[in-house]
C-alpha cells in the first residue's frame, strides 16, 4: 500500500509540474443517422498533451452490431497498412480517409456509405508520453438507413413571351422512419453559366429564401413558391424576363437533426427540369388617354330576353391605333377583343358562345358590342368595359375602365326542377359518381357540373351541351372526369381517383332552351366528403407475451385494417433515446434489413380487409428489449405517404431466475501468526456454461473492507501479499490468509455472482449468492491490565499521575508494547487519542485543537516493567473526565515483520479536579499549605528509598520503550 501511495504521489507531482489535469478526447455524439450511398464524416480531437504542437497519431475502429465485442481496424493516420481486409480495398482507393485538420484533430470520412458500415466507431489517440492520465478514445454510433427520398417533375420544353407568367410543379416526399425535414429549391441554369442559380428556396424551417438576383422580384410578389398538399411544390414567376431563359429544375434535400442539435443533409435529389424559352417584346410606346363608355339598350330584362352591351372607345387618331376591348362583370372577364381583332372568351362562357348564346364583335370605329341572346339569372350584376391601346408589337398599354353599369335579370316562371343524388362520403382513391335527375323540362337541356371546396369559390368541372358535347374545365384537364346522359332526364358525373381535396359541395346546374332561347335554369348541390386513406387505415400492435426470459422467442402482431393499398410496413424499435428501423417490408415483397437485426423473421397473413404482419424474435437478448412500433406508408401518385403508426408495445427481456447457492464453514478459530484457508463452495448452478465472479469482504464495526475479488474471466484484483485466492474443483473458491494478525479477525463474506452467455455473444449477470464465515483468533499469550475502573480526585494546580499496570505478562525478550492514553467517552471506542508510544519508539499526539492545552502538560513514562504512567503537571479544572489506557503486544515474526499477539484496555480512570481555594489572608490557609508541602516531601523521600531497594533486585533485560503512529484498535 505504501508503494502505491508513493506512485500516486509521484504521478500527482508530474501532473502538477506539467500544469494539466489530463488528456481529453472527444468526437461527435451519436447516434448519427445517414443514408446508404451518402458520405459520412466524424471529427475527432484531443487536448491536454504536454506538446500541443506535435501531430498526434489517431486510429479508427468499428464494432459491428452483430459482434459488438470484436474491433475491426479501419484506418490509422501513421500506418497505411493498419486496416483489416474488409476495409483495405476502400482505404487504398481513398474511399475511406483520415485527415489531420490540426495537430490535435482529424476528420474521418467515408465517401459512400454501405449498409454494412453501420456500427460503433471508436476514435483512439496514441499516447506518445510515458504518463497515462485521461481519456484516449471515444465512440460514436452510426446508423445506416435506406434512401426513401423521391422527387418528380415533368420534363418539358416551354415557350413564353417577355412579361408572361410561368408556373411549374414538383413532387417531393420521403418515407424515412426518423423525424426529418425537407427543403426544396427551384434552380435556373442559364446556357451562358457553368452552374445553376437558385431562384427561391423553401428551407427545412419552412421559410422562403429568394436566390441572389431574384430578391427584388420576390419582394414585389413576382416570384412565389407554394406548397400544395403534402408533397406538391409550385413555382410561380410573373412577368418573365429574358434572363429567365434556361433549364429550370427543382432540388429536394432531406435533413435530420443530430444529437448535438445541428442539422445534416442525409439525401439530395434533383429533377431533369423543363427548358424555358423567352422571346422579347418591343419597347412600349407612350399610351395616350382613352375615353371609354358602356351603354345598354335595357338594364332590366327578363330571363330569356336578349341583353346587349355597347362599349364606345374614343381617342385622338383612333383609326390609326390598335384598340383592345374587354367586358367585365363583377370583376370577371367575360369576353375580350384583342388589338388584332381576335376574340377571347372566358372558360365559363365558352360553351355559351359556341352555342350562339353569347356574341362579341366590333360594329364600327370605336364601337364594340356584347350580346347575350338569352339572358340568364347569373347574367345580372355590375358591368364595365375596359379598353387599352397596343403598340405595333402588340405590347399592351395602360387600361382604361368605363363607369360601372348595373344590369338586372328577372326570372320567368319555369317548371324545371333538379334532384341531385350523391353519396355523403367516398374513400380516397375511389370513383365518385353523381346523378342529376331533371323533372319538368320541356326544351333542350344542358348541364354544368361544379365543385365548391370548403372556404373556396365555385369551380367548373365539366359541361355537357344540348348536343351531348362534353368540355372539361382547365383545372380538370389532367383528371379522369366523365359526364354523360344515359336518359333524356338524367345526367351523370364520374370523377376517378378522388383525394381529400375533392371534398366539398357539388353543383348540378341544368339549363333549358325553348324555341331557340335559354328560358330557364335550375341547380342542386350536395355535400360530399372524401375520407383520406389515413383515416381509413387502422394500425394496432399486439403481443401474446411481452415479458420473456433471455433466449426465449417473442411474437409481435401488427394488425392493419383498411382498403386494399400497396403498403410498406416499417418495424421500429426504441431503446432509451435512440429510434432504430429494424426492417422494412415493401409493397413488392422485398425486405430491407438493418445491419444488426439477423435474429428477426417476418410472416404475413392476408385476411382480406385485414392483414397481420408478424415479427418473430428468435432467442431474445437484452438488446432486443425496448418499445416496438409498426409504421404503415403507401406510395401513391409518385409520392410517399406516411399513414399511421401503431401503438407502442414494450418488450421486457428478463434474466433467468438464478439457482445459484453457495456454502462455507460457519466458524473458524486459529492462532495468531498461523495460516488459514477459507472455503466457499458452489452447491448448485443455473447453467453448466455459467462463469463466476467472486469477491471476499471482511466485515468490521468500522465498515466493510474488500479483501480480494475475481471477475468472470478470473482476473484478480490487487491484494495484500499475504492474501491469495484460487479455484478448486467443485467449484470451490479458497481464500488463503498467511500469518494472520489480530486485525484479520471478523466475518468474512464470500459473494459469488453468476454470468451467463447471451444470444448476442455477450454476457449478463444474475443475482449473486453469498455465505459468511466467522474467523476468530486465539492469542498465544493473554494480556490483562489493571485497574478496570478507578476514581482520582485532585485540586487544580496539583500534579496528577495516572497509572496502568500489566497484571499478566508473557515471557520473552522479543515482546514490545504499543501504549495509548485516550481521553473522554463513555467507553474506549468513543474516546479520542491523547498521547501514545508505539512499539517502534514513535510518539504521537492527537490532532484535536481542543486537547492542545492538555497535551503540553503531559509526560509519558514506564517506571517499571509492568507499569505505564501518564503525568499531568499541573492539572487544570477543565482536565476532569474519563481516561483510558490501551496496550497492544507485538512480536517480530520469522520474516522480521511485526505481528500483534495480544491487546487489552484498562479504564475508565475518572479524574475529578476541584478548584483551588482562594487566598484569604488568614493564617489557616498558610498553615495548610506548609503542611501539604511537608507531606509531599516525605512521600518523595519514601519513593526514593523504595526505588533504591528495587534497583538491588535483578531484572530481566528488556528493550527500550517504543512509540506508535497508527491508530489503536482497542478492545472494550
Amino acid at each position: 500500500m505504501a508503494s502505491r501511495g508513493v506512485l500516486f504521489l509521484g504521478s500527482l507531482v508530474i501532473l502538477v509540474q506539467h500544469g494539466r489535469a489530463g488528456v481529453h478526447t472527444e468526437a461527435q455524439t451519436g447516434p448519427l443517422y445517414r443514408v446508404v450511398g451518402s458520405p459520412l464524416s466524424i471529427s475527432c480531437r484531443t487536448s491536454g498533451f504536454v506538446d500541443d504542437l506535435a501531430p498526434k497519431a489517431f486510429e479508427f475502429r468499428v464494432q459491428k452490431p452483430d459482434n459488438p465485442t470484436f474491433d475491426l481496424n479501419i484506418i490509422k493516420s501513421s500506418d497505411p497498412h493498419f486496416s483489416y481486409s474488409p476495409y483495405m480495398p476502400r482505404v487504398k482507393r481513398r474511399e475511406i480517409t483520415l485527415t489531420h485538420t490540426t495537430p490535435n484533430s482529424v476528420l474521418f470520412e467515408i465517401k459512400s456509405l454501405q449498409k454494412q458500415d453501420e456500427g460503433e466507431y471508436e476514435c483512439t489517440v496514441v499516447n506518445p508520453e510515458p504518463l497515462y492520465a485521461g481519456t484516449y478514445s471515444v465512440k460514436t454510433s452510426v446508423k445506416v438507413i435506406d434512401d426513401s427520398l423521391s422527387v418528380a417533375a415533368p420534363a418539358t420544353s416551354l415557350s413564353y413571351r417577355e412579361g408572361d407568367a410561368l408556373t411549374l410543379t414538383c413532387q417531393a416526399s420521403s418515407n424515412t422512419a426518423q423525424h426529418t425535414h425537407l427543403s426544396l429549391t427551384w434552380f435556373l441554369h442559364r446556357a451562358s453559366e457553368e452552374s445553376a442559380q437558385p431562384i427561391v428556396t423553401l428551407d427545412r424551417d419552412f421559410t422562403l429564401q429568394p436566390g441572389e438576383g431574384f430578391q427584388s422580384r420576390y419582394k414585389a410578389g413576382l416570384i412565389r413558391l407554394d406548397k400544395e398538399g403534402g408533397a406538391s411544390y409550385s413555382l410561380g414567376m410573373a412577368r418573365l424576363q429574358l434572363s429567365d431563359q434556361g433549364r429550370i429544375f427543382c432540388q429536394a434535400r432531406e435533413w435530420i437533426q443530430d444529437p448535438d442539435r445541428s442539422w445534416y443533409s442525409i439525401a439530395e435529389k434533383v429533377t431533369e427540369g423543363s427548358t424555358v424559352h423567352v422571346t422579347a417584346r418591343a419597347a412600349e410606346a407612350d399610351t395616350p388617354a382613352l375615353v371609354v363608355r358602356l351603354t345598354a339598350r335595357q338594364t332590366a330584362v327578363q330571363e330569356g330576353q336578349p341583353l346587349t352591351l355597347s362599349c364606345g372607345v374614343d381617342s385622338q387618331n383612333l383609326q390609326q391605333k390598335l384598340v383592345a376591348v374587354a367586358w367585365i362583370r363583377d370583376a370577371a372577364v367575360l369576353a375580350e377583343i384583342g388589338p388584332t381583332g381576335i376574340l377571347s372568351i372566358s372558360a365559363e362562357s365558352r360553351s355559351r358562345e359556341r352555342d350562339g348564346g353569347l356574341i362579341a364583335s366590333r360594329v364600327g370605329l370605336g364601337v364594340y358590342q356584347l350580346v347575350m341572346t338569352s339572358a340568364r339569372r347569373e347574367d345580372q350584376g355590375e358591368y364595365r368595359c375596359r379598353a387599352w391601346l397596343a403598340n405595333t408589337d402588340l405590347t399592351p398599354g395602360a387600361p382604361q375602365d368605363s363607369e360601372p353599369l348595373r344590369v338586372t335579370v328577372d326570372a320567368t316562371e319555369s317548371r324545371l326542377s333538379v334532384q341531385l343524388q350523391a353519396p355523403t362520403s367516398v374513400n380516397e382513391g375511389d370513383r365518385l359518381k353523381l346523378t342529376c335527375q331533371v323533372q319538368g323540362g320541356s326544351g333542350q337541356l344542358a348541364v354544368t357540373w361544379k365543385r365548391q371546396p370548403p372556404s373556396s369559390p365555385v369551380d367548373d368541372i365539366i359541361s355537357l351541351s344540348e348536343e351531348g358535347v362534353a368540355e372539361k374545365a382547365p383545372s380538370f384537364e389532367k383528371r379522369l372526369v366523365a359526364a354523360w346522359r344515359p336518359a333524356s332526364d338524367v345526367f351523370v358525373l364520374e370523377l376517378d381517383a378522388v383525394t381529400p381535396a375533392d371534398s366539398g359541395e357539388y353543383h348540378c346546374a341544368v339549363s333549358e332552351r325553348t324555341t331557340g332561347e335559354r328560358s330557364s335554369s335550375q341547380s342542386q348541390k350536395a355535400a360530399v366528403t372524401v375520407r383520406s386513406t389515413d383515416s381509413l387505415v387502422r394500425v394496432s400492435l399486439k403481443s401474446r407475451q411481452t415479458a420473456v426470459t433471455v433466449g426465449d422467442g417473442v411474437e409481435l402482431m401488427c394488425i392493419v385494417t383498411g382498403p386494399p393499398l400497396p403498403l410498406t410496413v416499417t418495424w421500429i424499435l426504441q431503446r432509451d433515446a435512440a429510434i432504430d428501423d429494424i426492417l422494412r417490408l415493401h409493397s413488392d415483397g422485398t425486405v430491407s434489413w438493418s445491419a444488426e437485426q439477423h435474429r428477426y423473421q417476418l410472416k404475413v397473413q392476408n385476411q382480406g380487409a385485414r392483414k397481420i404482419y408478424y415479427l418473430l424474435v428468435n432467442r431474445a437478448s437484452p438488446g432486443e428489449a425496448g418499445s416496438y412500433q409498426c409504421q404503415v406508408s403507401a406510395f401513391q401518385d409518385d409520392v410517399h405517404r406516411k399513414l399511421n403508426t401503431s401503438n407502442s408495445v414494450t418488450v421486457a427481456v428478463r434474466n433467468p431466475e438464478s439457482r445459484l447457492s453457495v456454502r462455507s464453514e460457519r466458524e473458524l478459530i486459529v492462532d495468531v501468526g498461523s495460516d488459514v484457508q477459507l472455503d466457499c463452495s458452489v452447491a448448485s448452478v443455473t447453467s453448466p456454461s455459467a462463469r463466476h465472479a467472486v469477491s471476499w469482504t471482511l466485515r468490521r464495526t468500522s465498515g466493510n473492507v474488500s479483501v480480494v475479488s475475481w471477475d468472470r474471466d478470473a482476473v484478480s484484483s490487487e491484494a495484500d501479499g499475504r492474501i491469495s485466492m484460487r479455484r478448486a474443483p467443485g467449484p470451490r473458491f479458497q481464500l488463503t490468509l498467511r500469518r494472520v494478525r489480530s486485525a484479520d479477525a471478523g466475518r468474512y463474506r464470500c459473494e459469488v455472482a453468476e454470468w451467463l452467455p447471451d444470444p448476442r455473444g455477450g454476457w449478463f449477470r444474475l443475482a449473486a449468492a453469498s455465505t459468511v464465515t466467522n474467523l476468530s483468533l486465539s492469542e498465544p499469550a493473554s494480556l490483562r491490565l489493571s485497574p478496570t475502573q478507578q476514581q482520582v480526585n485532585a485540586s487544580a494546580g496539583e500534579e496528577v499521575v495516572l497509572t496502568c499496570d500489566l497484571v499478566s505478562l508473557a515471557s520473552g525478550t522479543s515482546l514490545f508494547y504499543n501504549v495509548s492514553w485516550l481521553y473522554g467517552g463513555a467507553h474506549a471506542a468513543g474516546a479520542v487519542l491523547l498521547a501514545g508510544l508505539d512499539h517502534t519508539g514513535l510518539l504521537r499526539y492527537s490532532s484535536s485543537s481542543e486537547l492542545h492545552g492538555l497535551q503540553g502538560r503531559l509526560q509519558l513514562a514506564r517506571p517499571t516493567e509492568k507499569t505505564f504512567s501518564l503525568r499531568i503537571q499541573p492539572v487544570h479544572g477543565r482536565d476532569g473526565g474519563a481516561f483510558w489506557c490501551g496496550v497492544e503486544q507485538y512480536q517480530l515474526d520469522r520474516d522480521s515483520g511485526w505481528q500483534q499477539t495480544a491487546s487489552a484496555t484498562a479504564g475508565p480512570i475518572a479524574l475529578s479536579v476541584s478548584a483551588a481555594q482562594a487566598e484569604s489572608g488568614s493564617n489557616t490557609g498558610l498553615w495548610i499549605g506548609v503542611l501539604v508541602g511537608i507531606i509531599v516531601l516525605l512521600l518523595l523521600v519514601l519513593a526514593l528509598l523504595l526505588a533504591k531497594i528495587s534497583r538491588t533486585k535483578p531484572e530481566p533485560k528488556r528493550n527500550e520503550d517504543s512509540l506508535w503512529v497508527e491508530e489503536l484498535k482497542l478492545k472494550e
Side-chain angles (χ1 to χ4, degrees):
M1 292 297 289
S3 62
R4 292 176 61 190
V6 171
L7 179 60
F8 170 76
L9 182 59
S11 301
L12 182 60
V13 170
I14 292 173
L15 288 176
V16 172
Q17 289 174 347
H18 290 308
R20 61 187 177 92
V23 174
H24 179 63
T25 306
E26 58 183 352
Q28 290 164 263
T29 306
L32 303 179
Y33 289 91
R34 299 295 183 261
V35 169
V36 173
S38 69
L40 168 69
S41 63
I42 300 176
S43 60
C44 181
R45 64 188 182 92
T46 188
S47 60
F49 283 101
V50 175
D51 188 356
D52 255 358
L53 300 179
K56 307 302 183 298
F58 287 85
E59 302 172 357
F60 263 81
R61 299 177 178 84
V62 66
Q63 295 92 37
K64 296 298 185 68
D66 53 355
N67 193 0
T69 60
F70 182 70
D71 290 343
L72 282 172
N73 294 330
I74 302 177
I75 195 169
K76 183 177 182 180
S77 61
S78 60
D79 184 3
H81 303 292
F82 177 71
S83 182
Y84 281 4
S85 57
Y87 291 97
M88 181 62 75
R90 298 167 70 187
V91 171
K92 288 183 176 180
R93 294 194 300 267
R94 298 195 59 77
E95 295 174 4
I96 299 177
T97 59
L98 183 62
T99 308
H100 267 97
T101 55
T102 70
N104 297 302
S105 61
V106 293
L107 183 65
F108 172 76
E109 292 182 286
I110 299 179
K111 305 300 182 187
S112 179
L113 278 173
Q114 300 175 5
K115 194 72 173 179
Q116 58 268 27
D117 289 333
E118 181 169 316
E120 194 90 9
Y121 285 78
E122 181 177 11
C123 170
T124 302
V125 60
V126 179
N127 182 21
E129 300 173 357
L131 176 65
Y132 278 83
T135 304
Y136 294 86
S137 65
V138 62
K139 291 184 178 182
T140 301
S141 175
V142 176
K143 305 289 185 180
V144 182
I145 59 178
D146 292 330
D147 184 0
S148 61
L149 180 63
S150 172
V151 183
T156 57
S157 180
L158 304 172
S159 296
Y160 294 92
R161 298 185 64 186
E162 184 181 10
D164 289 350
L166 166 70
T167 301
L168 295 175
T169 302
C170 178
Q171 302 284 337
S173 63
S174 172
N175 195 33
T176 304
Q178 284 69 33
H179 177 70
T180 59
H181 287 189
L182 292 184
S183 65
L184 188 130
T185 303
W186 284 96
F187 284 89
L188 169 61
H189 192 180
R190 302 182 180 98
S192 59
E193 296 178 352
E194 292 184 4
S195 59
Q197 301 298 320
I199 302 173
V200 63
T201 299
L202 179 64
D203 64 20
R204 62 173 182 269
D205 298 323
F206 308 107
T207 57
L208 288 172
Q209 299 291 338
E212 186 176 354
F214 296 91
Q215 294 95 330
S216 59
R217 295 166 67 185
Y218 172 79
K219 291 180 180 178
L222 300 179
I223 294 179
R224 296 176 53 85
L225 196 163
D226 299 314
K227 185 177 181 182
E228 302 168 352
S232 182
Y233 299 82
S234 176
L235 170 67
M237 299 179 69
R239 301 182 191 174
L240 283 172
Q241 300 178 3
L242 293 177
S243 59
D244 296 332
Q245 181 167 290
R247 184 171 65 92
I248 298 179
F249 62 92
C250 70
Q251 176 200 70
R253 282 186 173 183
E254 187 173 11
W255 300 80
I256 193 167
Q257 194 171 29
D258 286 342
D260 62 359
R261 311 301 295 171
S262 65
W263 287 91
Y264 185 84
S265 175
I266 59 174
E268 175 185 317
K269 290 184 180 178
V270 299
T271 61
E272 182 179 347
S274 298
T275 303
V276 177
H277 303 277
V278 183
T279 57
R281 295 180 185 269
E284 184 176 326
D286 293 335
T287 305
L290 289 174
V291 179
V292 183
R293 296 178 298 273
L294 179 65
T295 59
R297 294 178 182 176
Q298 290 180 297
T299 57
V301 297
Q302 294 288 327
E303 189 176 13
Q305 291 180 345
L307 173 62
T308 303
L309 300 172
S310 298
C311 181
V313 180
D314 190 12
S315 179
Q316 187 177 5
N317 299 323
L318 185 64
Q319 65 274 10
Q320 300 176 3
K321 298 175 181 176
L322 299 175
V323 181
V325 176
W327 286 268
I328 301 171
R329 181 185 69 217
D330 297 333
V333 177
L334 299 178
E336 178 184 321
I337 298 177
T340 59
I342 297 176
L343 177 64
S344 299
I345 305 297
S346 66
E348 63 177 345
S349 302
R350 198 168 296 158
S351 60
R352 187 175 183 184
E353 186 268 341
R354 188 170 50 246
D355 297 335
L358 186 145
I359 302 172
S361 62
R362 178 175 180 240
V363 295
L365 179 62
V367 181
Y368 301 85
Q369 276 190 351
L370 176 69
V371 179
M372 285 162 274
T373 58
S374 178
R376 304 174 183 174
R377 290 295 304 277
E378 60 264 27
D379 291 335
Q380 69 178 5
E382 189 176 81
Y383 286 82
R384 285 184 174 85
C385 177
R386 176 173 296 168
W388 63 91
L389 298 179
N391 295 318
T392 55
D393 62 352
L394 304 182
T395 304
Q400 181 67 40
D401 287 0
S402 68
E403 293 294 326
L405 181 66
R406 185 72 185 178
V407 174
T408 60
V409 179
D410 297 327
T412 57
E413 185 178 354
S414 173
R415 294 178 297 172
L416 182 68
S417 65
V418 175
Q419 184 177 4
L420 179 60
Q421 300 174 0
T424 57
S425 63
V426 64
N427 295 339
E428 180 181 2
D430 289 352
R431 176 182 299 172
L432 173 62
K433 182 177 181 180
L434 305 176
T435 302
C436 195
Q437 184 77 39
V438 181
Q439 296 178 349
S442 58
Q444 295 183 355
L445 300 177
V447 66
T448 300
W449 293 95
K450 303 180 180 183
R451 183 193 67 185
Q452 184 177 15
S455 304
S456 299
V458 178
D459 294 331
D460 286 352
I461 301 175
I462 193 171
S463 61
L464 192 66
S465 67
E466 294 89 344
E467 292 80 12
V469 178
E471 182 177 3
K472 290 184 184 179
S475 57
F476 284 84
E477 283 291 343
K478 298 180 180 180
R479 297 288 300 275
L480 295 175
V481 183
W484 72 92
R485 188 176 182 178
S488 60
D489 56 351
V490 178
F491 295 93
V492 177
L493 170 70
E494 284 190 352
L495 182 61
D496 277 359
V498 292
T499 67
D502 292 323
S503 297
E505 289 186 340
Y506 284 80
H507 299 248
C508 170
V510 178
S511 59
E512 180 184 33
R513 179 194 298 179
T514 58
T515 63
E517 299 292 338
R518 294 184 186 275
S519 59
S520 61
S521 63
Q522 291 290 330
S523 66
Q524 185 72 25
K525 62 183 179 180
V528 177
T529 300
V530 180
R531 294 178 301 212
S532 66
T533 304
D534 297 5
S535 64
L536 298 174
V537 176
R538 296 285 185 270
V539 184
S540 63
L541 184 61
K542 297 181 180 179
S543 179
R544 294 185 177 90
Q545 190 175 10
T546 57
V548 298
T549 303
V550 173
D552 291 348
V554 180
E555 182 180 77
L556 298 170
M557 296 178 291
C558 180
I559 303 172
V560 182
T561 58
L565 292 170
L567 297 179
T568 296
V569 178
T570 303
W571 287 92
I572 302 170
L573 172 59
Q574 180 173 1
R575 289 170 287 205
D576 299 327
I579 301 177
D580 298 326
D581 291 354
I582 301 172
L583 55 88
R584 180 171 295 162
L585 177 61
H586 298 275
S587 56
D588 59 0
T590 59
V591 179
S592 297
W593 293 85
S594 174
E596 64 173 313
Q597 311 300 342
H598 297 302
R599 281 176 294 281
Y600 294 98
Q601 291 182 352
L602 278 178
K603 184 175 69 173
V604 181
Q605 186 177 359
N606 193 344
Q607 299 177 351
R610 183 172 184 260
K611 284 187 177 181
I612 303 177
Y613 297 85
Y614 292 89
L615 179 68
L616 307 177
V617 185
N618 298 321
R619 300 187 68 236
S621 70
E624 281 74 61
S627 182
Y628 286 81
Q629 286 182 297
C630 60
Q631 185 184 78
V632 177
S633 61
F635 191 74
Q636 292 179 303
D637 301 326
D638 296 328
V639 173
H640 286 289
R641 295 191 56 189
K642 294 182 181 179
L643 301 181
N644 291 316
T645 302
S646 72
N647 56 292
S648 298
V649 171
T650 300
V651 174
V653 181
R654 58 175 180 261
N655 292 337
E657 184 177 351
S658 176
R659 295 192 293 272
L660 177 68
S661 64
V662 294
R663 63 173 180 265
S664 66
E665 295 184 49
R666 296 295 182 186
E667 190 79 28
L668 280 177
I669 302 175
V670 297
D671 292 336
V672 172
S674 63
D675 296 344
V676 64
Q677 180 174 286
L678 285 69
D679 282 357
C680 179
S681 302
V682 176
S684 61
V685 295
T686 305
S687 170
S689 59
R691 293 183 182 179
H692 299 95
V694 184
S695 65
W696 286 91
T697 306
L698 172 59
R699 294 183 180 179
R700 292 175 177 165
T701 56
S702 60
N704 294 340
V705 178
S706 177
V707 179
V708 67
S709 63
W710 271 4
D711 64 12
R712 66 170 184 269
D713 297 320
V715 177
S716 175
S717 65
E718 293 185 10
D720 193 329
R722 300 182 306 110
I723 301 171
S724 63
M725 182 170 60
R726 74 183 189 91
R727 178 188 175 114
R732 287 182 298 126
F733 300 96
Q734 296 175 336
L735 173 66
T736 301
L737 305 176
R738 296 177 179 84
R739 301 183 301 279
V740 294
R741 309 165 181 171
S742 298
D744 294 332
R747 293 169 57 85
Y748 284 81
R749 181 172 179 264
C750 169
E751 182 179 270
V752 180
E754 211 169 18
W755 289 81
L756 298 181
D758 86 2
R760 283 176 170 238
W763 293 84
F764 62 93
R765 185 180 185 272
L766 299 184
S770 64
T771 181
V772 175
T773 299
N774 188 32
L775 177 62
S776 301
L777 301 181
S778 61
E779 299 177 349
S782 61
L783 181 65
R784 289 187 294 114
L785 300 179
S786 174
T788 56
Q789 290 187 0
Q790 186 180 356
Q791 176 68 41
V792 178
N793 298 317
S795 298
E798 294 181 352
E799 177 184 278
V800 174
V801 178
L802 306 180
T803 60
C804 176
D805 297 326
L806 295 172
V807 177
S808 62
L809 181 66
S811 61
T813 59
S814 62
L815 295 178
F816 296 85
Y817 293 93
N818 187 337
V819 182
S820 175
W821 286 93
L822 306 167
Y823 176 74
H827 48 78
V832 295
L833 176 67
L834 189 58
L837 289 167
D838 79 349
H839 56 285
T840 64
L842 295 179
L843 176 65
R844 183 182 181 188
Y845 286 105
S846 172
S847 61
S848 174
S849 60
E850 298 178 359
L851 300 177
H852 287 171
L854 177 58
Q855 290 167 351
R857 295 176 280 111
L858 299 180
Q859 292 182 7
L860 279 74
R862 186 179 181 184
T864 68
E865 183 181 10
K866 296 186 177 182
T867 302
F868 303 97
S869 66
L870 173 66
R871 185 184 303 273
I872 306 175
Q873 183 181 10
V875 68
H876 293 172
R878 62 178 178 273
D879 294 340
F883 289 79
W884 303 81
C885 171
V887 179
E888 290 183 341
Q889 181 177 283
Y890 282 84
Q891 187 176 17
L892 286 169
D893 61 15
R894 59 179 176 271
D895 297 325
S896 296
W898 289 105
Q899 298 295 326
Q900 181 184 332
T901 57
S903 63
T905 304
I909 303 173
L911 174 61
S912 176
V913 182
S914 60
Q917 187 174 3
E919 184 178 327
S920 63
S922 65
N923 294 331
T924 305
L926 178 59
W927 284 108
I928 293 174
V930 172
L931 181 59
V932 170
I934 294 171
I935 294 172
V936 170
L937 182 60
L938 292 174
L939 292 174
L940 180 59
V941 172
L942 181 60
L944 290 174
L945 291 175
L946 292 174
K948 184 176 181 180
I949 294 170
S950 62
R951 287 193 187 98
T952 60
K953 295 180 181 180
E955 293 186 0
K957 185 180 178 180
R958 60 181 178 88
N959 295 336
E960 291 284 14
D961 295 336
S962 56
L963 299 178
W964 167 70
V965 297
E966 299 178 0
E967 287 193 15
L968 292 174
K969 301 183 176 74
L970 302 177
K971 298 181 180 177
E972 296 185 8

